[in-house]
Coordinates of all heavy atoms in Angstrom, one line a residue:
M4 N 0.8 -1.2 0.0 CA 0.0 0.0 0.0 C 0.9 1.3 0.0 O 1.8 1.3 0.8 CB -0.9 0.0 1.3 CG -1.7 1.2 1.5 SD -2.3 1.4 3.2 CE -4.0 1.8 2.9
K5 N 0.5 2.2 -0.9 CA 1.2 3.5 -0.9 C 0.1 4.6 -0.8 O -1.0 4.4 -1.4 CB 2.0 3.7 -2.2 CG 3.2 2.9 -2.2 CD 4.0 3.3 -3.5 CE 5.3 2.4 -3.6 NZ 6.1 2.7 -4.8
V6 N 0.4 5.7 -0.3 CA -0.6 6.8 -0.2 C 0.1 8.1 -0.6 O 1.3 8.2 -0.4 CB -1.3 6.9 1.2 CG1 -2.3 5.9 1.4 CG2 -0.2 7.0 2.3
R7 N -0.8 8.9 -1.1 CA -0.3 10.3 -1.4 C -1.5 11.2 -1.1 O -2.6 10.9 -1.0 CB 0.2 10.5 -2.8 CG -0.9 10.3 -3.9 CD -0.4 10.5 -5.3 NE -1.3 10.2 -6.3 CZ -2.3 11.1 -6.7 NH1 -2.3 12.3 -6.1 NH2 -3.2 10.7 -7.5
V8 N -1.1 12.5 -0.9 CA -2.1 13.5 -0.6 C -2.3 14.3 -1.9 O -1.3 14.9 -2.5 CB -1.6 14.4 0.6 CG1 -2.7 15.6 0.7 CG2 -1.5 13.6 1.8
D9 N -3.6 14.4 -2.3 CA -3.9 15.3 -3.4 C -3.9 16.8 -2.9 O -4.9 17.1 -2.2 CB -5.3 14.9 -3.9 CG -5.7 15.7 -5.1 OD1 -5.2 16.8 -5.4 OD2 -6.7 15.2 -5.8
T10 N -2.9 17.5 -3.3 CA -2.8 18.9 -2.8 C -3.9 19.8 -3.3 O -4.1 20.8 -2.7 CB -1.4 19.4 -3.1 OG1 -1.2 19.3 -4.4 CG2 -0.3 18.8 -2.3
D11 N -4.6 19.5 -4.4 CA -5.7 20.3 -4.8 C -6.9 20.1 -3.9 O -7.7 21.0 -3.8 CB -6.1 19.8 -6.2 CG -5.1 20.3 -7.3 OD1 -4.3 21.2 -7.0 OD2 -5.0 19.6 -8.3
R12 N -7.0 19.0 -3.2 CA -8.1 18.8 -2.3 C -7.8 19.1 -0.8 O -8.7 19.5 -0.1 CB -8.6 17.3 -2.4 CG -9.3 16.9 -3.7 CD -9.6 15.4 -3.6 NE -10.6 15.1 -4.7 CZ -11.9 15.0 -4.4 NH1 -12.4 15.2 -3.3 NH2 -12.7 14.7 -5.4
C13 N -6.5 18.9 -0.4 CA -6.2 19.0 1.0 C -6.4 20.5 1.4 O -6.1 21.4 0.8 CB -4.7 18.7 1.2 SG -4.2 18.9 2.9
R14 N -7.0 20.6 2.6 CA -7.3 21.9 3.2 C -6.5 22.1 4.5 O -6.8 23.0 5.3 CB -8.8 22.0 3.5 CG -9.6 22.1 2.2 CD -9.3 23.5 1.4 NE -9.9 23.5 0.1 CZ -9.4 23.1 -1.0 NH1 -8.1 22.6 -1.0 NH2 -10.0 23.2 -2.2
G15 N -5.7 21.1 4.8 CA -4.8 21.3 6.0 C -5.5 21.1 7.3 O -5.0 21.6 8.4
H16 N -6.6 20.4 7.4 CA -7.2 20.2 8.7 C -6.4 19.5 9.7 O -6.5 19.7 10.9 CB -8.5 19.4 8.6 CG -9.5 19.9 7.5 ND1 -10.1 21.1 7.6 CD2 -9.8 19.4 6.3 CE1 -10.9 21.3 6.5 NE2 -10.7 20.3 5.7
G17 N -5.6 18.6 9.2 CA -4.7 17.8 10.0 C -5.3 16.6 10.6 O -4.6 15.9 11.5
A18 N -6.5 16.2 10.2 CA -7.1 15.0 10.8 C -6.3 13.7 10.5 O -6.1 12.8 11.3 CB -8.5 14.8 10.2
C19 N -5.6 13.7 9.3 CA -4.8 12.6 9.0 C -3.6 12.4 10.0 O -3.2 11.3 10.3 CB -4.3 12.7 7.6 SG -3.5 14.3 7.2
L20 N -3.0 13.5 10.4 CA -1.9 13.4 11.4 C -2.4 12.9 12.7 O -1.7 12.2 13.4 CB -1.4 14.9 11.6 CG -0.4 15.4 10.6 CD1 -1.1 15.8 9.4 CD2 0.3 16.6 11.2
G21 N -3.6 13.2 13.1 CA -4.2 12.6 14.3 C -4.3 11.1 14.2 O -4.2 10.4 15.2
S22 N -4.6 10.6 13.1 CA -4.8 9.1 12.9 C -3.5 8.5 12.7 O -3.3 7.3 13.2 CB -5.7 8.9 11.7 OG -7.0 9.4 11.9
C23 N -2.6 9.1 12.0 CA -1.3 8.4 11.6 C -0.1 9.4 11.5 O 0.3 9.6 10.3 CB -1.5 7.5 10.4 SG -0.1 6.4 10.2
P24 N 0.4 9.9 12.6 CA 1.5 10.9 12.5 C 2.8 10.3 11.9 O 3.7 11.0 11.5 CB 1.6 11.4 13.9 CG 1.1 10.3 14.8 CD 0.0 9.7 14.0
E25 N 2.8 9.0 11.9 CA 4.1 8.3 11.4 C 4.2 8.5 9.9 O 5.2 8.3 9.3 CB 4.1 6.8 11.8 CG 4.1 6.5 13.2 CD 2.7 6.5 13.9 OE1 1.8 6.9 13.3 OE2 2.6 6.0 15.1
V26 N 3.0 8.6 9.2 CA 3.0 8.7 7.8 C 2.7 10.1 7.3 O 3.2 10.5 6.2 CB 2.0 7.7 7.2 CG1 1.7 7.9 5.7 CG2 2.5 6.2 7.5
F27 N 1.8 10.8 8.0 CA 1.4 12.1 7.5 C 2.1 13.3 8.3 O 2.2 13.2 9.5 CB -0.1 12.3 7.5 CG -0.8 11.3 6.7 CD1 -1.3 10.1 7.2 CD2 -0.9 11.5 5.3 CE1 -2.0 9.2 6.5 CE2 -1.6 10.5 4.5 CZ -2.1 9.4 5.1
T28 N 2.5 14.3 7.6 CA 3.1 15.5 8.2 C 2.4 16.7 7.5 O 1.9 16.6 6.4 CB 4.6 15.6 8.0 OG1 4.9 15.5 6.6 CG2 5.3 14.5 8.7
L29 N 2.5 17.8 8.2 CA 2.1 19.1 7.5 C 3.3 19.8 7.0 O 4.3 20.0 7.7 CB 1.3 19.9 8.5 CG -0.1 19.7 8.8 CD1 -0.7 20.8 9.7 CD2 -0.9 19.6 7.5
T30 N 3.2 20.3 5.8 CA 4.3 21.1 5.2 C 4.3 22.5 5.7 O 3.3 22.9 6.4 CB 4.2 21.1 3.7 OG1 3.1 21.8 3.3 CG2 4.1 19.7 3.1
D31 N 5.3 23.3 5.4 CA 5.3 24.7 5.8 C 4.1 25.5 5.2 O 3.7 26.5 5.6 CB 6.6 25.3 5.5 CG 7.8 24.8 6.3 OD1 7.5 24.2 7.4 OD2 8.9 25.0 5.9
D32 N 3.6 24.9 4.1 CA 2.5 25.6 3.4 C 1.2 25.3 4.0 O 0.2 25.8 3.6 CB 2.5 25.1 1.9 CG 3.7 25.6 1.1 OD1 4.3 26.6 1.5 OD2 4.1 24.9 0.1
G33 N 1.2 24.4 5.0 CA 0.0 24.1 5.7 C -0.9 22.9 5.1 O -2.0 22.7 5.5
Y34 N -0.2 22.2 4.2 CA -0.9 21.0 3.6 C -0.3 19.8 4.1 O 0.9 19.7 4.5 CB -1.0 21.1 2.1 CG -1.7 22.3 1.6 CD1 -1.0 23.4 1.1 CD2 -3.1 22.4 1.7 CE1 -1.6 24.5 0.7 CE2 -3.8 23.5 1.2 CZ -3.0 24.6 0.7 OH -3.7 25.7 0.3
A35 N -1.0 18.6 4.0 CA -0.5 17.4 4.5 C 0.4 16.8 3.3 O 0.2 17.0 2.1 CB -1.6 16.4 4.8
E36 N 1.3 15.9 3.8 CA 2.2 15.2 2.9 C 2.4 13.8 3.4 O 2.5 13.7 4.6 CB 3.5 15.9 2.8 CG 4.5 15.5 1.8 CD 5.7 16.3 1.8 OE1 6.5 16.3 2.7 OE2 5.9 17.1 0.8
A37 N 2.3 12.9 2.6 CA 2.5 11.5 3.0 C 4.0 11.1 2.8 O 4.6 11.5 1.8 CB 1.5 10.6 2.3
R38 N 4.4 10.3 3.6 CA 5.8 9.8 3.5 C 5.9 8.9 2.3 O 4.9 8.1 2.0 CB 6.1 9.1 4.8 CG 6.9 7.8 4.8 CD 7.2 7.4 6.3 NE 7.2 6.0 6.4 CZ 7.4 5.4 7.6 NH1 7.6 6.0 8.7 NH2 7.4 4.1 7.6
A39 N 7.0 9.0 1.7 CA 7.1 8.2 0.4 C 7.3 6.8 0.7 O 7.7 6.3 1.8 CB 8.4 8.7 -0.4
G40 N 7.1 5.9 -0.3 CA 7.3 4.5 -0.2 C 6.1 3.7 0.4 O 5.1 4.3 0.7
A41 N 6.3 2.5 0.5 CA 5.2 1.6 1.0 C 4.9 1.8 2.4 O 5.9 2.0 3.2 CB 5.6 0.1 0.7
V42 N 3.7 1.8 2.8 CA 3.2 2.0 4.2 C 3.6 0.6 4.9 O 3.3 -0.4 4.5 CB 1.7 2.2 4.3 CG1 1.3 2.2 5.8 CG2 1.4 3.5 3.6
P43 N 4.4 0.7 6.1 CA 4.7 -0.5 6.8 C 3.4 -1.2 7.2 O 2.4 -0.5 7.5 CB 5.4 0.1 8.0 CG 5.9 1.4 7.6 CD 4.9 2.0 6.6
E44 N 3.5 -2.5 7.3 CA 2.3 -3.4 7.5 C 1.6 -2.9 8.8 O 0.4 -2.9 8.9 CB 2.8 -4.8 7.6 CG 1.6 -5.8 7.4 CD 0.9 -5.6 6.1 OE1 1.6 -5.4 5.0 OE2 -0.3 -5.7 6.1
D45 N 2.4 -2.6 9.8 CA 1.8 -2.3 11.2 C 1.1 -0.9 11.2 O 0.5 -0.5 12.2 CB 2.9 -2.4 12.3 CG 4.0 -1.4 12.0 OD1 4.3 -1.0 10.9 OD2 4.6 -1.0 13.1
L46 N 1.3 -0.1 10.1 CA 0.6 1.2 10.1 C -0.6 1.2 9.1 O -1.2 2.3 8.9 CB 1.6 2.3 9.7 CG 2.8 2.6 10.7 CD1 3.8 3.6 10.1 CD2 2.2 3.0 12.0
V47 N -0.8 0.1 8.4 CA -1.9 0.1 7.4 C -3.3 0.5 8.0 O -4.0 1.3 7.5 CB -1.9 -1.3 6.7 CG1 -3.2 -1.4 5.9 CG2 -0.7 -1.5 5.8
D48 N -3.6 -0.1 9.2 CA -4.9 0.2 9.8 C -5.0 1.7 10.2 O -6.0 2.3 9.9 CB -5.0 -0.6 11.1 CG -5.4 -2.1 10.8 OD1 -5.6 -2.4 9.7 OD2 -5.4 -2.9 11.8
A49 N -3.9 2.3 10.7 CA -3.9 3.7 11.0 C -4.0 4.6 9.8 O -4.8 5.6 9.7 CB -2.6 4.1 11.8
V50 N -3.4 4.1 8.7 CA -3.6 4.9 7.4 C -5.0 4.8 6.9 O -5.6 5.8 6.4 CB -2.5 4.4 6.4 CG1 -2.8 4.9 5.0 CG2 -1.2 4.8 6.8
E51 N -5.6 3.6 7.0 CA -7.0 3.5 6.5 C -7.9 4.4 7.4 O -8.8 5.0 6.9 CB -7.4 2.0 6.6 CG -6.7 1.3 5.4 CD -7.0 -0.2 5.4 OE1 -7.5 -0.7 6.5 OE2 -6.7 -0.9 4.5
E52 N -7.6 4.5 8.6 CA -8.3 5.4 9.5 C -8.2 6.8 9.1 O -9.1 7.6 9.0 CB -7.8 5.2 10.9 CG -8.6 5.9 12.0 CD -8.1 5.7 13.4 OE1 -7.8 4.6 13.8 OE2 -7.9 6.7 14.1
A53 N -7.0 7.2 8.6 CA -6.7 8.6 8.2 C -7.5 8.8 6.9 O -8.0 9.9 6.7 CB -5.2 8.8 8.0
V54 N -7.5 7.8 6.0 CA -8.3 8.0 4.8 C -9.8 8.3 5.1 O -10.4 9.2 4.5 CB -8.2 6.7 3.9 CG1 -9.1 6.8 2.7 CG2 -6.7 6.5 3.4
S55 N -10.3 7.5 6.1 CA -11.7 7.7 6.4 C -11.9 9.1 7.1 O -13.0 9.7 7.0 CB -12.2 6.6 7.4 OG -12.0 5.4 6.7
A56 N -10.9 9.5 7.9 CA -11.0 10.7 8.7 C -10.9 12.0 7.8 O -11.3 13.0 8.2 CB -10.0 10.7 9.8
C57 N -10.3 11.9 6.7 CA -10.1 13.1 5.8 C -11.4 13.6 5.3 O -12.0 13.0 4.5 CB -9.1 12.8 4.7 SG -8.9 14.2 3.6
P58 N -11.8 14.8 5.7 CA -13.1 15.4 5.3 C -13.1 15.8 3.8 O -14.1 16.1 3.3 CB -13.3 16.5 6.2 CG -11.9 16.9 6.7 CD -11.1 15.7 6.7
E59 N -11.9 15.8 3.2 CA -11.8 16.3 1.8 C -11.6 15.1 0.8 O -11.3 15.4 -0.4 CB -10.7 17.3 1.6 CG -10.8 18.5 2.6 CD -12.0 19.4 2.4 OE1 -12.6 19.3 1.3 OE2 -12.4 20.0 3.4
Q60 N -11.5 13.9 1.3 CA -11.2 12.8 0.5 C -9.9 13.1 -0.3 O -9.8 12.8 -1.5 CB -12.2 12.4 -0.5 CG -13.5 11.7 0.2 CD -14.5 12.8 0.8 OE1 -14.8 13.7 0.1 NE2 -14.8 12.6 2.0
A61 N -8.9 13.6 0.4 CA -7.7 14.1 -0.2 C -6.5 13.0 -0.2 O -5.5 13.2 -0.9 CB -7.2 15.3 0.4
I62 N -6.8 11.9 0.5 CA -5.8 10.9 0.6 C -6.0 9.8 -0.5 O -7.1 9.2 -0.4 CB -5.7 10.3 2.0 CG1 -5.4 11.4 3.0 CG2 -4.6 9.3 2.1 CD1 -5.6 11.0 4.5
V63 N -5.1 9.7 -1.3 CA -5.2 8.7 -2.4 C -4.4 7.5 -2.1 O -3.2 7.5 -1.8 CB -4.7 9.3 -3.7 CG1 -4.9 8.4 -4.9 CG2 -5.4 10.7 -4.0
V64 N -5.1 6.3 -2.2 CA -4.4 5.1 -1.9 C -4.0 4.5 -3.3 O -4.8 4.5 -4.2 CB -5.3 4.1 -1.2 CG1 -4.6 2.7 -1.0 CG2 -5.8 4.6 0.1
E65 N -2.8 4.1 -3.4 CA -2.2 3.6 -4.7 C -1.7 2.1 -4.5 O -1.4 1.7 -3.4 CB -1.1 4.5 -5.2 CG -1.6 5.9 -5.4 CD -0.5 6.8 -5.8 OE1 0.7 6.7 -5.3 OE2 -0.7 7.7 -6.6
Ligands
SF4_28 S1 -7.1 15.3 6.8 FE1 -7.2 15.5 4.5 S2 -7.5 17.6 4.2 FE2 -6.9 17.4 6.3 S3 -4.6 17.7 6.2 FE3 -5.1 15.5 6.1 S4 -5.1 15.1 3.9 FE4 -5.4 17.3 4.1

């Protein structure tokens, strides 16, 4: 599983960070960014929670 944040949709609420701070960070511009590469197996549930928590549907699972 890989994820990325669609910056056209992201509004910087930060809900994703609340669910999985190991994968999502906020950039200086105030938008979320997902860590590159495959999501470690032990963080998949937390990332799925972040996907559900995002009010903008800005997290894209690849
Ligand atoms: S929850 Fe969604 S809209 Fe909010 S910062 Fe995270 S990716 Fe962006």
Side-chain angles (χ1 to χ4, degrees):
M4 174 197 228
K5 287 184 181 176
V6 286
R7 66 178 173 82
V8 174
D9 181 341
T10 51
D11 288 337
R12 286 179 167 262
C13 179
R14 292 293 174 265
H16 308 291
C19 52
L20 281 71
S22 296
C23 191
E25 297 87 348
V26 170
F27 299 98
T28 56
L29 275 188
T30 67
D31 290 342
D32 294 332
Y34 297 106
E36 188 174 72
R38 142 174 144 179
V42 173
E44 201 59 39
D45 60 334
L46 294 177
V47 167
D48 286 352
V50 167
E51 287 177 346
E52 189 181 309
V54 171
S55 299
C57 176
E59 308 296 339
Q60 288 83 50
I62 302 171
V63 181
V64 178
E65 300 178 322

